């Protein structure tokens, strides 16, 4: 056996630069070195598998393709061995002594631009193999190429300016990396810690991984398989594993695309809305992989915020593996992914709504709130989202909903608006004064029960060019849309006495009302408050007021005056017109009471105490007769 003295090589200048930063960096995410080394081992094994297809003569042909990790906690050493393609002498110099690969190149390019902030750059890129020098001060790479004429070699370095290569004896095919951890990082040699890190980053590596002899449970990277080869049970099990979920997925979306970017995606809609349970705001849960290796488990901009309930995996072979969290946030690539995936997810929802309406409606009940949030925050997807909205209406049964398209398909020719009313319940809406006119003309009204709903209407403004209009708006001409169906209605006050009564009520109420007018929109109620400003519905007023109070402004500005409409056909109104001549004081009290009752119906009454006092006065007068 000839002893050959180790040959000493200087690292290429760029490598020295990288190493210098790696060794001295304060980068906190040290554990990624495990991911880098395991993915190199996996790449090398994968390459061997390809080589086996075309080459007959392969060294150590019968080795099992697995990755073995062993550690010695006491000595603080870790060994990562694969049985992949290995490296020849030339390849060692080329691959580990120079910077030929993309990740570190990008790192260096950024380094040149970055100037002083170099410290942080390592965190932004990860630097593949060299990352091991963050935690180790002596690294040996034993390797034997698959090529029959190869030799057993050992590459070693302390991470300073140089490395050595020497011949050794008896290596198996592949690569064995042995390194001694720096004192402060000895913890990484603990078996359970090591296992934990591997599970986190490398659960989907397709070769068995053994840690100190025990095979880790790896999971199939379902998203890369063809749909036809996956059972429903496998999808469900994968969801539970990936999302750490206790519920079942409602449905999933599994697709691959090549343009404009190569992606394999598997997304799940959960059954339970955890935010609905009051668990606080959900964190995004779609993980980003590059060829089965985890890049980021919860990237922030991969999907729009309103899709934060979605779970699953996005894998893009176009991502540089070495890219990492910090740099990804606003990369153009992430934006491209975001666009493609969001569009597909919305399309899936549309299809569900069409083909499996029960599935969609159930989904809507739990997750509709997120789509509503989307309408108010995401202009890009607004039109697609509007098609997915569902509301109860005066045409649906309690508990069933309609889409906006279906609403429009039922609307009479002349109807230019989509009408809605907000209140806490169907009962409250149908008992209120605003619904009467619509009911009398069979015009459909959407029922909005959630505080966010009016924001949705205000942000979207229109659907298919029909304006969303609150049914309590002042300027709605319902007769232009449809005539009242009930023809034998009460006789109304004469125009002149109606006008006089309105004038009287206005004088009595003073600044509290901006206008009092007779209206034929009312059927069974004597009066109602209407809104001049389409945006400023009663619900909005209430919300604005609550916000003012919160911000300490109180209601210093006072109540904005409201517009009161009276029903000239109502017996109370007709009586009031007559009462004015005989008992003006009582007529005044009743006028005030009319306004307050209308306020209650509009949800604008906050403190009823003065109303109650007045009510007693009225009752007192009536009971004395
Ligand atoms: P990258 O994986 O992005 O190419 P690395 O710094 O991780 O960059 O690795 C540099 C190169 O070293 C790899 O491209 C590969 O050719 C070689 N290499 C690293 N680890 C192994 C290994 N376990 N087996 C064979 N080749 C390896
Ligand atoms: Mg690598």
């Amino acid at each position: 056996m000839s002893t050959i003295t180790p040959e000493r090589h200087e690292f290429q200048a760029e490598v020295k630069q990288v190493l210098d930063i790696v060794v001295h960096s304060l980068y906190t995410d040290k554990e990624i070195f495990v991911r880098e080394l395991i993915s190199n081992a996996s790449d090398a094994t994968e390459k061997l598998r390809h080589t086996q297809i075309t080459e007959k003569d392969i060294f150590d042909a019968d080795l099992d393709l697995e990755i073995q990790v062993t550690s010695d906690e006491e000595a603080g050493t870790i060994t990562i061995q694969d049985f992949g393609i290995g490296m020849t002498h030339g390849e060692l110099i080329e691959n580990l002594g120079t910077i030929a690969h993309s990740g570190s190149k990008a790192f260096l390019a950024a380094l040149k631009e970055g100037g002083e902030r170099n410290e942080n750059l390592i965190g932004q890129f990860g630097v593949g193999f060299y990352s091991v020098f963050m935690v180790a001060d002596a690294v040996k790479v034993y390797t034997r190429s698959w090529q029959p004429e190869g030799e057993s070699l050992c590459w070693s370095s302390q991470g300073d300016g140089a490395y050595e290569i020497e011949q050794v004896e008896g290596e198996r095919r592949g690569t064995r990396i042995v390194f001694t951890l720096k004192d402060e990082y000895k913890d990484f040699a603990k078996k359970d810690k090591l296992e934990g890190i591997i599970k986190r980053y490398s659960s989907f590596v397709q070769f068995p991984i053994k840690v100190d002899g025990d095979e880790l449970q790896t999971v199939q990277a379902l998203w890369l398989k063809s749909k036809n080869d996956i059972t429903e049970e496998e999808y469900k099990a994968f969801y539970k594993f990936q999302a750490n979920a206790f519920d079942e997925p409602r449905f999933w979306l599994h697709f691959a695309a090549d343009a404009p970017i190569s992606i394999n995606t598997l997304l799940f809609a959960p059954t339970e809305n955890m935010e609905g349970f009051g668990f606080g705001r959900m964190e995004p849960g779609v993980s980003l992989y590059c060829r089965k290796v985890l890049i980021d488990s919860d990237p922030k901009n991969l999907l729009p915020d309103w899709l934060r309930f979605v779970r699953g995996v996005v894998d893009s072979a176009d991502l540089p593996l070495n890219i990492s969290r910090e740099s990804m946030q606003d990369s153009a690539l992430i934006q491209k992914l975001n666009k493609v995936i969001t569009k597909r997810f919305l399309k899936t929802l549309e299809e569900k709504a069409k083909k499996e309406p029960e599935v969609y409606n159930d989904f809507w009940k739990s997750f509709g709130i997120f789509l509503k949030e989307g309408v108010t925050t995401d202009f890009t997807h607004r039109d697609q989202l509007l098609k997915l909205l569902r509301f109860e209406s005066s045409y649906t049964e309690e508990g069933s909903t309609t889409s906006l398209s279906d609403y429009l398909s039922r609307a009479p020719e002349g109807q230019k608006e989509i009408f809605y009313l907000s209140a806490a319940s169907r009962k409250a809406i149908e008992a209120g004064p605003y619904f009467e006119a619509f009911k009398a003309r069979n015009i459909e009204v959407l029922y909005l029960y959630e505080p966010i709903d009016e924001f949705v209407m205000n942000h979207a403004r229109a659907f298919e060019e029909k304006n969303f209009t609150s049914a309590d708006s002042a300027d709605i001409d319902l007769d232009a849309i449809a005539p009242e169906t009930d023809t034998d209605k009460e006789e109304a006050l004469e125009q002149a006495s109606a006008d006089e009564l309105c004038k009287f009520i206005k004088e009595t109420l003073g600044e509290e009302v901006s206008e009092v007018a007779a209206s034929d929109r009312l059927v069974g109620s004597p009066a109602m408050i209407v809104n001049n400003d389409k945006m400023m519905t009663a619900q909005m007023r209430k919300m604005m007021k609550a916000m003012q109070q919160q911000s300490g402004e109180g209601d210093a500005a006072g109540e904005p005056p409201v517009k009161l409409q009276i029903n000239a056909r109502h017996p109370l109104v007709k009586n009031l017109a007559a009462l004015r001549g005989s008992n003006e004081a009582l007529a005044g009290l009743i006028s005030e009471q009319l306004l307050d009752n209308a306020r209650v119906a509009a949800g604008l009454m906050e403190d009823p105490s003065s109303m109650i006092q007045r009510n007693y006065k009225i009752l007192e007068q009536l009971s004395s007769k």
Side-chain angles (χ1 to χ4, degrees):
M1 189 177 74
S2 61
T3 49
I4 298 167
T5 45
E7 14 163 307
R8 204 182 135 80
H9 295 261
E10 289 279 310
F11 280 113
Q12 189 192 24
E14 282 100 325
V15 178
K16 280 188 198 168
Q17 233 180 317
V18 169
L19 280 171
D20 191 50
I21 292 162
V22 166
V23 172
H24 297 111
S25 89
L26 301 172
Y27 181 47
T28 47
D29 220 359
K30 305 277 182 203
E31 66 182 34
I32 57 134
F33 79 92
V34 179
R35 173 188 78 178
E36 299 297 331
L37 296 183
I38 299 269
S39 64
N40 283 353
S42 166
D43 288 350
T45 312
E46 181 68 43
K47 282 180 197 156
L48 183 91
R49 218 161 47 180
H50 278 271
T51 311
Q52 278 172 329
I53 298 167
T54 50
E55 303 287 337
K56 272 177 234 78
D57 204 1
I58 287 188
F59 180 75
D60 254 355
D62 315 320
L63 283 176
D64 283 339
L65 296 185
E66 62 181 28
I67 297 167
Q68 296 179 355
V69 181
T70 49
S71 63
D72 182 337
E73 198 182 327
E74 214 124 288
T77 57
I78 297 177
T79 302
I80 298 178
Q81 178 160 26
D82 66 68
F83 303 104
I85 51 169
M87 283 176 272
T88 62
H89 187 274
E91 285 166 345
L92 270 178
I93 294 176
E94 168 77 18
N95 296 340
L96 303 186
T98 69
I99 290 195
H101 48 292
S102 57
S104 303
K105 257 194 184 154
F107 173 67
L108 272 180
L111 201 64
K112 288 200 176 104
E113 281 171 23
E116 287 117 57
R117 296 177 302 113
N118 292 349
E119 270 300 79
N120 302 325
L121 284 173
I122 177 164
Q124 296 182 17
F125 287 86
V127 284
F129 170 77
Y130 301 116
S131 62
V132 70
F133 287 103
M134 290 193 295
V135 295
D137 44 23
V139 179
K140 288 181 188 293
V141 179
Y142 296 91
T143 189
R144 171 67 169 86
S145 166
W146 66 273
Q147 301 178 51
E149 66 278 12
E151 47 196 345
S152 293
L153 299 166
C154 176
W155 176 103
S156 58
S157 175
Q158 325 271 319
D160 46 15
Y163 61 93
E164 290 179 349
I165 298 178
E166 67 183 309
Q167 279 187 341
V168 291
E169 288 293 315
E171 284 301 311
R172 311 306 310 259
R173 184 197 65 224
T175 303
R176 184 163 62 99
I177 301 178
V178 185
F179 48 95
T180 310
L181 295 161
K182 297 178 189 173
D183 281 343
E184 60 268 46
Y185 302 121
K186 294 272 190 245
D187 258 13
F188 284 119
K190 285 194 175 130
K191 184 183 177 192
D192 51 351
K193 174 143 189 180
L194 207 47
E195 265 181 2
I197 300 171
I198 296 173
K199 271 194 191 144
R200 185 164 142 68
Y201 289 106
S202 312
S203 286
F204 303 109
V205 167
Q206 61 195 319
F207 305 103
I209 302 178
K210 289 180 179 161
V211 179
D212 292 338
D214 299 329
E215 184 165 338
L216 286 191
Q217 185 208 344
T218 51
V219 179
Q220 286 190 63
L222 279 201
W223 64 90
L224 293 178
K225 292 178 70 174
S226 143
K227 275 187 220 179
N228 303 333
D229 300 337
I230 307 174
T231 66
E232 199 155 297
E233 287 318 306
E234 283 176 313
Y235 276 122
K236 289 181 179 171
F238 180 85
Y239 165 73
K240 286 186 186 171
F241 170 83
Q242 195 273 334
N244 234 329
F246 64 85
D247 60 350
E248 300 261 304
R250 271 173 197 275
F251 53 82
W252 47 86
L253 159 63
H254 184 183
F255 75 96
D258 289 323
I261 186 167
S262 147
I263 37 174
N264 289 275
T265 296
L266 177 53
L267 301 179
F268 295 92
T271 300
E272 306 294 356
N273 170 1
M274 301 310 281
E275 278 185 26
F277 286 151
F279 274 86
R281 201 177 166 79
M282 270 189 230
E283 289 297 318
V286 176
S287 304
L288 184 63
Y289 285 78
C290 170
R291 298 168 216 245
K292 287 187 272 189
V293 177
L294 181 66
I295 304 292
D296 193 343
S297 58
D298 50 1
K300 296 289 173 294
N301 297 332
L302 184 57
L303 290 177
D305 209 26
W306 54 269
L307 277 176
R308 60 188 176 278
F309 63 93
V310 177
R311 296 290 174 258
V313 168
V314 172
D315 192 318
S316 174
D318 289 347
L319 277 179
L321 178 56
N322 286 345
I323 198 167
S324 84
R325 266 166 247 190
E326 291 83 347
S327 65
M328 256 180 22
Q329 302 305 334
D330 38 33
S331 95
L333 207 60
I334 297 297
Q335 280 168 28
K336 242 192 244 174
L337 287 171
N338 181 317
K339 213 170 140 192
V340 173
I341 301 164
T342 306
K343 214 169 131 197
R344 277 300 277 262
F345 192 79
L346 285 172
K347 209 175 114 201
T348 303
L349 292 182
E350 255 174 66
E351 280 166 14
K352 282 266 174 258
K354 209 183 267 168
K355 291 179 197 151
E356 298 169 88
E358 314 80 50
V359 175
Y360 180 75
N361 289 338
D362 269 356
F363 164 82
W364 171 258
K365 276 184 200 139
S366 300
F367 293 96
I369 184 90
F370 290 95
L371 306 190
K372 290 174 185 174
E373 183 186 318
V375 174
T376 64
T377 57
D378 184 348
F379 181 76
T380 322
H381 298 107
R382 183 171 293 165
D383 287 344
Q384 253 184 306
L385 281 164
L386 284 177
K387 289 187 199 149
L388 292 166
L389 297 185
R390 297 291 181 272
F391 296 101
E392 280 194 31
S393 86
S394 51
Y395 276 27
T396 70
E397 301 281 308
E398 177 150 17
S400 317
T401 55
T402 176
S403 68
L404 297 175
S405 311
D406 285 346
Y407 174 101
L408 285 182
S409 71
R410 291 185 291 261
E413 193 84 11
Q415 186 177 334
K416 304 260 182 303
E417 304 94 342
I418 295 175
F419 295 111
Y420 65 87
L421 273 171
S422 311
S425 69
R426 172 173 281 261
K427 235 183 175 164
I429 290 173
E430 292 182 346
Y434 303 108
F435 181 57
E436 295 171 359
F438 294 83
K439 187 177 176 197
R441 293 170 179 80
N442 268 325
I443 298 172
E444 187 171 4
V445 177
L446 298 177
Y447 293 175
L448 274 45
Y449 303 138
E450 313 248 9
I452 190 179
D453 290 338
E454 281 206 63
F455 281 113
V456 168
M457 298 297 167
N458 288 347
H459 271 90
R461 284 169 185 271
F463 174 73
E464 294 184 353
E465 286 162 23
K466 307 281 191 209
N467 286 336
F468 292 120
T469 305
S470 178
D472 62 1
S473 307
D475 58 347
I476 299 175
D477 184 5
L478 291 182
D479 287 328
I481 300 171
E484 264 185 73
T485 48
D486 184 7
T487 42
D488 57 16
K489 36 187 178 180
E490 282 265 340
E491 197 66 30
L493 273 183
E494 303 249 318
Q495 184 72 40
S497 17
D499 288 348
E500 259 174 65
L501 179 62
C502 287
K503 207 171 138 218
F504 168 76
I505 297 175
K506 168 71 182 116
E507 271 160 19
T508 309
L509 300 178
E511 291 305 301
E512 294 195 73
V513 290
S514 61
E515 183 192 314
V516 179
S519 159
D520 53 7
R521 260 166 70 188
L522 285 158
V523 181
S525 301
M528 68 179 173
I529 286 171
V530 290
N531 288 298
N532 287 327
D533 182 349
K534 270 196 190 142
M535 297 291 130
M536 199 42 110
T537 61
Q539 293 291 318
M540 284 307 253
R541 270 177 207 259
K542 261 204 301 198
M543 245 181 291
M544 302 271 288
K545 222 171 155 194
M547 282 190 309
Q548 265 173 12
Q549 268 160 6
Q550 246 174 16
S551 68
E553 282 172 49
D555 43 17
E559 284 280 341
V562 294
K563 211 167 171 181
L564 187 71
Q565 291 193 343
I566 58 169
N567 180 358
R569 285 181 262 163
H570 197 281
L572 170 56
V573 173
K574 289 197 264 185
N575 291 345
L576 186 62
L579 184 65
R580 214 162 46 88
S582 59
N583 187 347
E584 197 172 312
L586 181 59
L589 283 179
I590 290 177
S591 302
E592 285 174 25
Q593 188 65 33
L594 215 51
L595 172 63
D596 270 354
N597 283 7
R599 278 192 179 128
V600 173
L604 288 172
M605 175 59 70
E606 266 166 37
D607 178 9
S609 53
S610 69
M611 172 182 98
I612 291 171
Q613 290 312 318
R614 180 194 318 113
N615 203 0
Y616 283 142
K617 263 192 229 162
I618 297 172
L619 293 176
E620 199 185 302
Q621 294 201 28
L622 294 181
S623 56
S624 73
K625 298 254 158 82

